[in-house]
Amino acid sequence: MTSLLTFCAAAVMEIAGCFAFWAWLRLDRSPLWLIPGMVALALFAYLLTLAESPFAGRAYAAYGGIYIASALLWGWAMEGHRPDSWDMIGAAICLVGMSVILFAPRSLPA
């Protein structure tokens, strides 16, 4: 469960950091947006190291499902773009995949 919360926090940081760059380049905002953007992206990278996984690749793969669902929620909350039914179905599929990767019973690595 700790990894799930860590992934949610990481997703917020990654999306916020990337959105800062988007705002600068696509929405003609001040380059000062890059400062909090870079801080958010550094926090994102740090948070992913806290995931309870013996392998970085597995942690990143599981995180992907959370990221996809979070990105759709960000678009709805921050940009007013409500996800359609296909977005929701796609996110649900990704969250099922994330759950399989994160919560599957495994033996400890050798």
Side-chain angles (χ1 to χ4, degrees):
M1 188 56 97
T2 303
S3 289
L4 193 56
L5 295 174
T6 300
F7 288 155
C8 289
V12 170
M13 291 296 104
E14 182 179 14
I15 295 166
C18 289
F19 184 77
F21 279 77
W22 179 277
W24 170 55
L25 290 171
R26 301 281 300 265
L27 303 178
D28 203 28
R29 299 294 200 275
S30 165
L32 293 175
W33 275 67
L34 298 176
I35 296 168
M38 288 185 286
V39 170
L41 289 171
L43 283 171
F44 150 70
Y46 170 73
L47 286 166
L48 275 187
T49 68
L50 302 178
E52 295 175 4
S53 176
F55 305 105
R58 185 177 288 154
Y60 302 158
Y63 165 73
I66 296 295
Y67 175 82
I68 290 166
S70 298
L72 291 171
L73 291 174
W74 176 279
W76 191 4
M78 303 303 283
E79 299 178 278
H81 181 262
R82 184 177 180 180
D84 64 20
S85 58
W86 293 109
D87 293 330
M88 301 297 277
I89 291 167
I93 291 168
C94 293
L95 289 172
V96 168
M98 178 275 309
S99 297
V100 170
I101 293 168
L102 191 61
F103 300 119
R106 293 189 169 91
S107 59
L108 295 175

